[in-house]
Amino acid sequence: MDADLNEAQNQVVFAPKGPILVVAGAGTGKTKTLVHKLAHLVETGISPESILLLTFTRRAAKEMLGRATRILDNRMMAVRGGTFHSFCHFFLRKYANAVSLDSNFTILDEEDTTGFVGMAREQVVTNATKLRFPKKETLAEIFSSCFNLQISLEKYLQKEYPMFLGITKEIQEIKTKFNDLKRKHNALDFDDLLEFTKHLLMSDESIRERMAKTYEYILVDEYQDTNRIQAHIACLLASVHQNILVVGDDAQCIYGFRGANVHNMLDFPKIFPNAQIIQLTENYRSVQPILNLANAVLESSTENYKKKLISSHKAHSQIPFLIQMESLEEEAEWISSKLLELYEEGNSFGEMAVLFRSGYSSHLLEVQCNAKKIPYRKFGGKKFLDLAHIKDMIAYLKVIENPRDILSWNRILLLEDQIGKKYAQVLYKRLESNEYRWKDDSIFFLGLPEKTGLSFSKLMKCLDSVSTMTHTSNQIMETIFTHYLPVLEANYDDFEKRKNDFEALTLLSKQEAKLSDFLSNLILNPVDGKELISATDTNEEYVTLSTIHSAKGLEWKHVFTMQVVEGSLPYHRVRTTEELEEERRLFYVAITRAKKALYLTSPSFTDKNRFTSVSRFLSDLSEKNELIDTLEVNKLESLTPDKTENSVDSRKDPFQNIQNYFLN
């Protein structure tokens, strides 16, 4: 036994051949365990060239093999380690002819893929087409999502882009032509790498057996993040010898929108009925009160591997806080003040993080951090003022405040229907020569197409309807937004999501009655931490502001989770039980990022004064105080999915078991 590992970790390292599922709870040292397993295999005589390590980033594979090398020796660098896509690329170069490809096929990056989609779109969408079609970027995202989620085009459109359901047939035609173009030009995109590899392993037994002889052991990291195709490929590679070890945490499966499927972990024993299941539950990150809350949240889950995380830290520690307040503004003020308070007590800003469900949730907090000179960096979403539609809105406001702002004029003129670069320049020169005074007279319409003139007239009447002398910044915002809404809908396929950002901008406008003060505040205290950080001491650490999705795998001493309310956690767009359970897992990930202290904030009123309540993930807990969560978790039994429910006979051929599961 290895003295550096606990009992469960050693059980993984010294487990015999055969399928192994390692259910590794948050902070339980799963990477360390996997590294020691790799080293042990080679140390006991397994050829490193016969081990395949599949990870989700090249960096992760390189780091693991580097650590294994330090444990053993340089033999570890002969292990083939990399991402699913890199393995599929290597595999298809070797067996390209078997799927009617030339071995010199091109790999398309995201820009190339979008270009091919654009070419296909042009073959279907002509100047005579009067219906609105998604842009090529949106189409590329739709096609990839359908593949990774393994759902039909119609079903995906119904959920994400219902406005395009009426042209499903035409979109399908674009998809067909897109695939034809790739084949014609001997090119594969990232999704094709997975699809062609899966097809070849399914259909050619001789190649499948050759792979089994080449790779005697298959190890997969972060198995909860695999989509159905990736899991199928991994299992097919192990279908002959069944020496497959997968490591992951079903409770951290939070990338369903990318196709990650929690059932890849939950149903692993159905695919390999003789699988050994080992749980890692000793947590080396968080204090027990934080883990108590995490355990309780998971206890309410309808489907998971029941486990109870136990902290390795024995010292007494504070239970998590739930802080309730009236408004989003108060929430941002309280969090920013608490960050300063912790800093004054001797804590580094680098030990603090604020997490949130959606990128726009932090906009008010970013303003507060700038005002209080708190250095921060934001991850998992663009900065507020970098968002194109926010830039659009501010350009309208700048023109109202300063009619000589040529850049803002150019931006808003180009937003209008039937006004291109040529006529935008013409119209600006006429405004300039008329000292930016506009009247509905002929001078502005000379030589312009009728539709261009109508668009310009509509814009100017909107701008003339408000005045900095008689209207507050908030009133001006609402008027401009009414004009801009159809522009937003026409220019952005995801306009419904982008509308949420204006609610935050509206709240900000309420803080400054004068438009000049509102704009000055945004400009002098930009909602972007880059300039502030670079202006401070280079050794100064910063507070991390992050979406929960981007925070997975990271940890901080003090963690704040914002807007733990209905509509945010869980998200208001959740419709199914599966989506609700993923939201629960997302909350679990947020909780388990904290090492010492956890603060959950819950405003009673959200944007537009809509009343909300504390998240059901807290309110439904059997033991919970009103303002401060005090959780005494019932003892959880360590259970695994009931093997009696498995519909697969362990005596059947392993390849047939795999096919029965993935194809039915």
Side-chain angles (χ1 to χ4, degrees):
M1 293 294 177
D2 193 321
D4 289 338
L5 305 177
N6 62 39
E7 183 179 348
Q9 291 170 334
N10 270 307
Q11 190 179 352
V12 174
V13 172
F14 295 98
K17 289 183 176 182
I20 302 170
L21 170 64
V22 181
V23 183
T28 57
K30 61 100 176 167
T31 301
K32 180 180 180 181
T33 305
L34 196 52
V35 166
H36 277 76
K37 179 67 175 181
L38 285 164
H40 176 72
L41 287 173
V42 175
E43 189 177 27
T44 54
I46 303 299
S47 170
E49 290 87 355
S50 69
I51 300 173
L52 176 61
L53 171 65
L54 294 171
T55 62
F56 273 84
T57 64
R58 180 182 176 186
R59 179 181 176 183
K62 185 177 179 181
E63 179 187 343
M64 280 190 230
L65 294 178
R67 288 172 61 176
T69 297
R70 291 191 290 274
I71 292 174
L72 193 57
D73 52 47
N74 285 333
R75 285 177 291 170
M76 299 308 305
M77 301 313 293
V79 171
R80 174 166 290 280
T83 64
F84 277 90
H85 289 97
S86 65
F87 168 76
C88 292
H89 173 232
F90 166 80
F91 174 77
L92 290 174
R93 288 292 182 196
K94 188 173 183 179
Y95 296 109
N97 292 336
V99 283
S100 301
L101 287 170
D102 292 335
S103 59
N104 64 339
F105 60 82
T106 299
I107 299 296
L108 303 176
D109 61 19
E110 185 176 344
E111 185 176 347
D112 294 332
T113 299
T114 303
F116 269 109
V117 172
M119 291 170 63
R121 185 182 187 276
E122 289 174 0
Q123 295 179 24
V124 176
V125 183
T126 66
N127 291 332
T129 305
K130 295 184 178 180
L131 292 173
R132 174 189 169 191
F133 272 76
K135 296 179 180 179
K136 60 183 180 180
E137 293 82 3
T138 303
L139 286 168
E141 181 266 318
I142 289 171
F143 298 157
S144 184
S145 294
C146 288
F147 172 78
N148 286 290
L149 294 169
Q150 291 288 279
I151 61 175
S152 68
L153 175 63
E154 183 175 6
K155 187 173 181 180
Y156 185 75
L157 292 177
Q158 189 172 17
K159 180 182 178 184
E160 298 294 339
Y161 295 97
M163 73 287 282
F164 297 133
L165 272 173
I167 53 172
T168 301
K169 182 179 178 180
E170 289 83 355
I171 294 176
Q172 182 62 55
E173 184 181 356
I174 295 173
K175 183 180 180 182
T176 300
K177 292 184 180 298
F178 166 55
N179 288 328
D180 291 344
L181 282 168
K182 288 186 292 181
R183 298 296 84 78
K184 178 181 178 181
H185 295 282
N186 196 37
L188 300 180
D189 62 24
F190 275 34
D191 295 336
D192 293 327
L193 292 174
L194 297 177
E195 179 61 28
F196 277 75
T197 299
K198 183 192 76 170
H199 172 75
L200 195 49
L201 289 172
M202 282 173 51
S203 60
D204 196 315
E205 184 179 358
S206 64
I207 291 178
R208 210 164 51 243
E209 290 179 349
R210 222 173 301 167
M211 284 294 99
K213 291 179 180 178
T214 303
Y215 301 113
E216 187 180 351
Y217 280 88
I218 313 296
L219 289 82
V220 187
D221 186 31
E222 301 286 9
Y223 194 63
Q224 80 281 345
D225 291 339
T226 55
N227 61 30
R228 195 170 177 86
I229 302 103
Q230 290 165 329
H232 197 170
I233 290 170
C235 293
L236 285 168
L237 289 169
S239 62
V240 177
H241 51 62
Q242 298 189 67
N243 293 328
I244 179 171
L245 184 150
V246 299
V247 183
D249 184 3
D250 55 301
Q252 294 189 71
C253 181
I254 60 173
Y255 298 115
F257 59 93
R258 295 180 189 166
N261 193 326
V262 70
H263 287 279
N264 291 342
M265 283 203 66
L266 297 177
D267 293 346
F268 188 80
K270 295 182 180 180
I271 302 168
F272 297 102
N274 58 329
Q276 183 177 0
I277 302 172
I278 304 171
Q279 291 198 5
L280 305 183
T281 57
E282 185 173 355
N283 180 285
Y284 296 93
R285 175 189 299 152
S286 306
V287 294
Q288 192 60 51
I290 290 172
L291 298 181
N292 286 344
L293 176 58
N295 289 334
V297 168
L298 278 192
E299 185 181 15
S300 301
S301 176
T302 57
E303 188 174 34
N304 63 5
Y305 286 101
K306 298 298 181 183
K307 54 183 174 290
K308 181 179 180 180
L309 296 179
I310 304 296
S311 176
S312 62
H313 305 287
K314 304 304 179 185
H316 176 73
S317 48
Q318 177 62 53
I319 59 175
F321 292 97
L322 171 65
I323 301 92
Q324 293 181 295
M325 58 276 294
E326 284 291 310
S327 66
L328 295 174
E329 295 93 334
E330 289 177 350
E331 178 185 48
E333 167 63 30
W334 186 89
I335 292 175
S336 59
S337 296
K338 187 63 180 179
L339 291 170
L340 274 182
E341 180 185 324
L342 291 170
Y343 178 71
E344 293 298 327
E345 291 174 356
N347 296 286
S348 164
F349 282 130
E351 296 176 319
M352 308 175 204
V354 184
L355 309 181
F356 31 84
R357 173 62 175 80
S358 303
Y360 61 80
S361 298
S362 69
H363 294 159
L364 293 176
L365 177 61
E366 292 177 60
V367 172
Q368 288 290 341
C369 284
N370 279 302
K372 291 181 170 66
K373 302 295 187 286
I374 298 173
Y376 71 90
R377 289 183 187 172
K378 182 177 178 181
F379 302 89
K382 291 184 178 180
K383 307 299 184 295
F384 193 32
L385 295 186
D386 287 343
L387 299 170
H389 51 297
I390 297 299
K391 287 178 177 286
D392 293 344
M393 180 63 74
I394 291 175
Y396 286 107
L397 303 179
K398 284 182 176 180
V399 163
I400 293 170
E401 177 63 27
N402 174 25
R404 299 181 186 276
D405 188 335
I406 184 174
L407 294 178
S408 294
W409 268 116
N410 187 60
R411 187 178 187 97
I412 66 173
L413 286 170
L414 290 175
L415 287 171
E416 298 301 319
D417 189 33
Q418 302 295 323
I419 300 180
K421 291 182 180 179
K422 175 184 174 181
Y423 291 125
Q425 292 176 358
V426 170
L427 287 166
Y428 178 78
K429 286 180 180 178
R430 292 178 182 177
L431 283 165
E432 185 180 38
S433 63
N434 206 39
E435 296 183 354
Y436 303 97
R437 289 193 298 269
W438 176 83
K439 292 182 180 179
D440 195 1
D441 55 35
S442 60
I443 182 175
F444 285 99
F445 302 100
L446 289 174
L448 296 180
E450 182 180 358
K451 291 183 178 179
T452 300
L454 289 174
S455 289
F456 177 70
S457 178
K458 183 179 179 182
L459 168 65
M460 297 309 296
K461 287 178 180 178
C462 171
L463 296 177
D464 278 353
S465 69
V466 291
S467 166
T468 57
M469 302 297 293
T470 57
H471 295 83
T472 66
S473 56
N474 181 252
Q475 291 170 332
I476 295 172
M477 273 277 302
E478 291 181 350
T479 299
I480 296 300
F481 182 65
T482 300
H483 171 82
Y484 179 67
L485 187 58
V487 177
L488 178 74
E489 184 172 351
N491 284 279
Y492 301 100
D493 291 329
D494 59 347
F495 70 92
E496 284 289 351
K497 298 177 184 177
R498 291 178 183 257
K499 282 169 61 177
N500 291 324
D501 294 324
F502 292 110
E503 294 167 354
L505 193 63
T506 299
L507 285 173
L508 289 173
S509 70
K510 291 179 179 178
Q511 298 176 1
E512 302 289 352
K514 290 180 62 177
L515 182 61
S516 58
D517 291 340
F518 171 59
L519 289 172
S520 296
N521 185 50
L522 285 178
I523 295 165
L524 295 175
N525 296 296
V527 192
D528 186 335
K530 291 181 180 178
E531 293 81 1
L532 180 59
I533 293 168
S534 61
T536 60
D537 185 339
T538 55
N539 294 321
E540 176 105 22
E541 295 188 42
Y542 54 84
V543 175
T544 295
L545 308 185
S546 175
T547 61
I548 303 172
H549 286 98
S550 295
K552 183 174 170 289
L554 303 176
E555 58 185 43
W556 295 270
K557 186 177 180 181
H558 302 273
V559 171
F560 298 75
T561 301
M562 298 179 66
Q563 296 175 27
V564 186
V565 296
E566 290 293 302
S568 180
L569 272 170
Y571 195 46
H572 65 88
R573 296 185 69 193
V574 166
R575 296 290 182 267
T576 66
T577 300
E578 290 77 11
E579 291 172 340
L580 179 63
E581 287 306 306
E582 179 156 329
E583 293 293 303
R584 186 190 306 279
R585 296 193 294 268
L586 193 65
F587 185 40
Y588 168 86
V589 168
I591 293 169
T592 53
R593 298 312 93 199
K595 296 195 287 186
K596 180 182 177 182
L598 176 65
Y599 306 90
L600 308 174
T601 59
S602 174
S604 298
F605 289 90
T606 61
D607 40 72
K608 295 186 177 179
N609 285 328
R610 287 194 289 254
F611 177 77
T612 188
S613 57
V614 174
S615 169
R616 71 189 75 178
F617 300 144
L618 292 178
S619 61
D620 288 352
L621 296 177
S622 58
E623 298 182 18
K624 166 188 168 294
N625 293 334
E626 291 184 11
L627 297 178
I628 301 176
D629 261 352
T630 305
L631 302 176
E632 296 180 4
V633 181
N634 295 326
K635 186 176 181 181
L636 300 175
E637 295 183 15
S638 179
L639 298 176
T640 58
D642 188 356
K643 289 188 178 182
T644 61
E645 296 180 0
N646 294 342
S647 59
V648 182
D649 188 338
S650 62
R651 295 169 295 180
K652 286 186 179 179
D653 174 58
F655 171 70
Q656 195 58 51
N657 281 354
I658 292 167
Q659 297 304 87
N660 287 344
Y661 176 77
F662 283 102
L663 300 182
N664 291 329

